[in-house]
Amino acid sequence: MTDPAPLTLPAADAYLPWVTASTESLLADARAKAEAIKTSPPATALATLEAWNELDIALGNLSARGELFSEVHPDAGVREAAEQAALEARKLSTELGLDTELYAVFAGLDADGLDAQATRLLEKTLRSFRRSGVAADETTRARIKEIRDRLTVLGQTFARTIREGTRSIKVTPDQLAGLPADWIEAHPAGEDGLVTVTTDYPDAIPFRTFAHDETARHDLLVASLTIGYPDNVDVLREMFGLRAELATLLGYDTFPDFDAEVKMIKSGAAIGEFIDKIADAALEPAQRDVAILLERLRQDRPDADRVQSWDSAYYAELVRKEQHDVDAQLVRTYFDFGKVRDGLLAVTGRLFGLTYTPADVPVWHPSVTAYDVTRTDDGAAQGRIYLDLHPREGKFKHAAQFTLTNGVAGRQLPEGTLVCNFPTGLMEHDDVVTLFHEFGHLVHHLVGGHQRWAEFSGVATEWDFVEAPSQMLEEWAWDADVLGSFATNEAGEAIPAALVERMRKADDFGKGYFARTQMFYAALAYRLHLENPEDLVARTRELQEQYSLFPWVEGTCMPTSFGHLDGYNSGYYTYMWSLVIAKDMFSAFDADDLFDPAVATRYRDVVLAQGGTKDAADLVEEFLGRPYDFDAYAAWLAE
């Protein structure tokens, strides 16, 4: 059987008709397949599942391209059409989940004779119907559909407001003191004699890390923490209210209970317990490191009594430079974007047995690059990737992997897009770590994207596991030999191993207060869904004071720019939950030989290549030879 061909994208100026036409075609196809299952049910359970799989493929393709191009296409008209495509896909998904006739077909299937994967698919399909509310009375089903459709619109509005809400401050040239020369050169003063600094990552992160001017750092942080404010306040309150109502209609006590049921954590209450467990474990190292920050701050401002958020990155950089001999401005001279990108491909190719071949195919923006991916040992096609890695107006503001096509064995190859916002020149090492992290999702999507059933394709594990493979891949961005293979300065000299070792030790500084800050974000996602407070700003302030070691900043409303409140809902805890598992999985690798083919291949085949065909806990146990535990994470945190 020959491998299916990758999707052919349209020419840059032909996206609007392509999106519109494919939306109509895929919607019609999915509707026809659903109708056929109801009116002419296949003769066997297996045939019924195969018909459902075909519907899943059509609906998944529509949803994926809608969600991707609504976030990345440079033309606002295309983004709007893609938003509509994603909206239509979600509306149809809601409609199908509430279709009692369709549910009756699946509820009446005899699972005898189905293999393990088909049985798993049937069980998950029936669970999805139940969670959709199909068993409710007609009036309740109508309200559930109304809620779900409105939540889709609210989610799109929330994301669009953030995506298009870039803010900026203006500073005098002398307020750029401390910033790298290449950054200053790329930010000339305008006709008014002032320099514009935006809230986009390539501007904001270096500025908050290196700029000596405290007032300017404060002003840029406030600008960043007021993106979406006040417009998204009402959006969020309606979103939280509707999610709570939906959970009640479906028979759950709270929305976090509904949200957690299909995750490893299983219950809403367990989310709160996990947040406090991490916060408690991180308190002592967090207090220790914040005290060091405060001591350094007082050298400049003797009357300071607390470290403020706009000071934290700046003084952490000074501590790392002065106490750990790590100068981030020197470090970044080794990380030219082009070399880092090529190095990433070389490293992951060697680790996972993959070959990346540049693909001369249409893309949606000139800065986007495409690669066809094959398995190195036998040349088997793994899929195609697109790298969209630099900021532009109207584009997604953070870093994420987006699906373009879910792979299905013999039907379609997996294709994915890495969407980030990195500078085109020199990168911070944190950017390098982020690139490795996000690429981990892309590898998971490709390697795990060769399943028979679309439901299990790619990154299809429980949502609180999906970050673990990416977080583990970050470890390769901290290894001296790995970095030395691509991180070279202008003179061609590789980054010294001694510097990397100091970087690792310096990076350990602050991990306690970082964990506490992450638990503040997790508590926001959890508590706001539980409480839907009348005063979003006041509740944010209370939670920040409870969990973070840095005080709330007057005049800000962080949740209005916190995009994960839509995609991750009440489950932002998953980043730390996954990190616990990632640290445990990494313990299986030899720190002196991160490319050991036996371990790397076993990890690829046992964890990544399985997609969602098994529960995440079972995948990890099979890889480690035991259930995962908290020990590796606790030891790392205590170092």
Side-chain angles (χ1 to χ4, degrees):
M1 180 173 61
T2 59
D3 290 317
L7 180 68
T8 300
L9 293 176
D13 60 353
Y15 267 84
L16 187 56
W18 177 74
V19 169
T20 302
S22 62
T23 298
E24 294 175 356
S25 173
L26 289 167
L27 275 175
D29 187 31
R31 289 186 183 280
K33 285 178 166 58
E35 191 63 24
I37 292 173
K38 290 190 296 183
T39 58
S40 303
T44 65
L46 182 61
T48 305
L49 291 173
E50 288 172 339
W52 183 250
N53 195 47
E54 293 299 311
L55 189 159
D56 198 7
I57 292 170
L59 196 54
N61 287 342
L62 174 59
S63 178
R65 67 186 60 171
E67 290 175 4
L68 170 64
F69 292 116
S70 70
E71 296 283 9
V72 303
H73 201 278
D75 183 271
V78 175
R79 293 199 301 270
E80 184 177 341
E83 270 193 1
Q84 187 61 34
L87 175 62
E88 294 298 332
R90 289 195 182 187
K91 287 172 67 174
L92 180 55
S93 180
T94 297
E95 180 183 318
L96 295 176
L98 291 167
D99 190 319
T100 55
E101 295 178 49
L102 196 58
Y103 171 64
V105 172
F106 286 92
L109 293 179
D110 184 355
D112 287 347
L114 294 178
D115 65 17
Q117 289 303 302
T119 300
R120 179 178 175 86
L121 177 61
L122 178 57
E123 291 171 350
K124 286 188 174 292
T125 302
L126 291 172
R127 184 181 70 178
S128 293
F129 271 114
R130 175 181 59 76
R131 286 171 55 82
S132 293
V134 73
D137 59 67
E138 185 175 352
T139 300
T140 303
R141 291 200 310 274
R143 178 56 182 158
I144 289 171
K145 182 179 186 307
E146 185 179 333
I147 291 173
R148 288 190 180 277
D149 288 347
R150 178 59 181 163
L151 283 172
T152 297
V153 172
L154 289 170
Q156 291 182 333
T157 302
F158 181 64
R160 187 189 319 115
T161 300
I162 297 171
R163 184 176 67 242
E164 299 178 357
T166 298
R167 300 197 174 188
S168 63
I169 63 170
K170 288 195 172 187
V171 298
T172 59
D174 63 298
Q175 288 179 290
L176 303 183
L179 283 153
D182 62 307
W183 192 99
I184 294 174
E185 183 180 353
H187 293 76
E191 292 182 0
D192 57 3
L194 300 176
V195 177
T196 298
V197 184
T198 74
T199 53
D200 286 344
Y201 288 172
D203 275 12
I205 293 176
F207 197 91
R208 287 166 53 189
T209 304
F210 301 121
H212 295 331
D213 192 292
E214 180 202 356
T215 300
R217 293 198 310 269
H218 166 272
D219 292 349
L220 185 60
L221 179 63
V222 170
S224 297
L225 294 179
T226 50
I227 291 173
Y229 184 78
D231 294 357
N232 271 344
V233 171
D234 289 341
V235 173
L236 285 173
R237 295 210 65 247
E238 185 179 359
M239 188 186 293
F240 299 146
L242 288 176
R243 286 175 178 165
E245 182 184 354
L246 175 65
T248 300
L249 291 174
L250 293 172
Y252 297 84
D253 291 336
T254 68
F255 180 80
D257 285 323
F258 169 75
D259 200 18
E261 181 188 31
V262 293
K263 296 182 171 67
M264 297 178 77
I265 204 164
K266 299 303 181 188
S267 77
I271 296 175
E273 292 166 3
F274 177 76
I275 290 170
D276 288 337
K277 179 178 182 178
I278 296 294
D280 290 345
L283 182 59
E284 184 176 343
Q287 290 174 330
R288 177 196 65 214
D289 288 349
V290 170
I292 294 172
L293 286 183
L294 181 59
E295 181 182 10
R296 178 58 186 84
L297 171 62
R298 283 174 172 163
Q299 294 179 30
D300 296 339
R301 301 202 296 274
D303 60 343
D305 59 354
R306 290 193 72 176
V307 178
Q308 301 292 339
S309 295
W310 60 86
D311 284 329
S312 61
Y314 178 77
Y315 280 95
E317 167 58 20
L318 287 182
V319 168
R320 292 179 181 119
K321 182 177 180 179
E322 296 168 0
Q323 300 185 23
H324 297 278
D325 193 22
V326 175
D327 182 349
Q329 294 201 38
L330 170 65
V331 169
R332 67 195 296 275
T333 64
Y334 291 97
F335 294 114
D336 170 78
F337 169 78
K339 294 178 184 177
V340 171
R341 180 193 59 199
D342 294 346
L344 169 76
L345 298 179
V347 168
T348 56
R350 178 183 173 190
L351 182 63
F352 298 117
L354 302 174
T355 298
Y356 304 95
T357 304
D360 184 13
V361 295
V363 292
W364 52 93
H365 189 271
S367 66
V368 177
T369 55
Y371 297 84
D372 286 322
V373 186
T374 54
R375 231 175 16 225
T376 305
D377 57 357
D378 59 7
Q382 295 298 284
R384 177 175 288 169
I385 61 173
Y386 294 86
L387 305 182
D388 188 347
L389 301 179
H390 307 299
R392 58 180 175 270
E393 186 178 353
K395 180 189 163 186
F396 181 75
K397 295 302 179 188
H398 305 292
Q401 180 260 322
F402 285 80
T403 295
L404 178 57
T405 301
N406 271 318
V408 180
R411 287 294 315 278
Q412 57 187 32
L413 287 173
E415 298 183 56
T417 302
L418 202 58
V419 182
C420 300
N421 289 277
F422 299 127
T424 56
L426 299 179
M427 303 172 69
E428 312 297 329
H429 182 252
D430 281 350
D431 288 339
V432 179
V433 174
T434 297
L435 181 57
F436 269 71
H437 174 102
E438 298 300 342
F439 201 83
H441 292 304
L442 203 55
V443 169
H444 196 178
H445 176 69
L446 289 191
V447 173
H450 300 269
Q451 315 303 333
R452 176 179 182 180
W453 306 108
E455 176 76 17
F456 303 145
S457 179
V459 187
T461 61
E462 295 96 319
W463 201 245
D464 41 5
F465 176 75
V466 298
E467 297 296 335
S470 288
Q471 288 168 327
M472 195 181 76
L473 191 59
E474 293 178 21
E475 301 284 355
W476 277 256
W478 284 103
D479 182 80
D481 291 336
V482 171
L483 292 178
S485 69
F486 64 82
T488 58
N489 60 18
E490 258 189 20
E493 300 163 334
I495 189 168
L499 174 57
V500 176
E501 181 61 27
R502 296 198 303 274
M503 288 163 56
R504 290 183 69 105
K505 289 181 179 178
D507 185 65
D508 279 342
F509 176 79
K511 62 187 174 186
Y513 64 69
F514 172 79
R516 293 283 301 199
T517 299
Q518 287 291 300
M519 291 306 94
F520 158 53
Y521 298 155
L524 266 180
Y526 175 59
R527 288 290 171 189
L528 295 183
H529 278 89
L530 276 180
E531 302 163 9
N532 193 13
E534 184 71 31
D535 191 333
L536 186 62
V537 172
R539 189 62 175 125
T540 299
R541 179 175 187 167
E542 290 171 356
L543 289 170
Q544 182 160 354
E545 294 288 356
Q546 179 178 351
Y547 288 99
S548 174
L549 269 67
F550 304 113
W552 176 77
V553 180
E554 190 74 37
T556 65
C557 186
M558 179 267 184
T560 60
S561 62
F562 190 21
H564 288 302
L565 288 175
D566 184 36
Y568 278 68
N569 302 335
S570 62
Y572 189 80
Y573 78 91
T574 61
Y575 276 93
M576 200 60 71
W577 179 279
S578 293
L579 184 58
V580 169
I581 299 174
K583 291 295 182 185
D584 203 14
M585 289 196 300
F586 185 63
S587 68
F589 285 82
D590 181 353
D592 295 324
D593 184 11
L594 293 184
F595 293 99
D596 181 337
V599 182
T601 301
R602 189 173 86 252
Y603 169 72
R604 181 195 68 187
D605 294 343
V606 169
V607 178
L608 301 183
Q610 299 303 315
T613 58
K614 298 178 182 178
D615 289 349
D618 294 334
L619 296 176
V620 177
E621 182 171 355
E622 185 177 350
F623 173 62
L624 292 175
R626 57 168 174 78
Y628 71 91
D629 59 41
F630 195 74
D631 295 349
Y633 175 85
W636 168 78
L637 191 62
E639 286 177 350

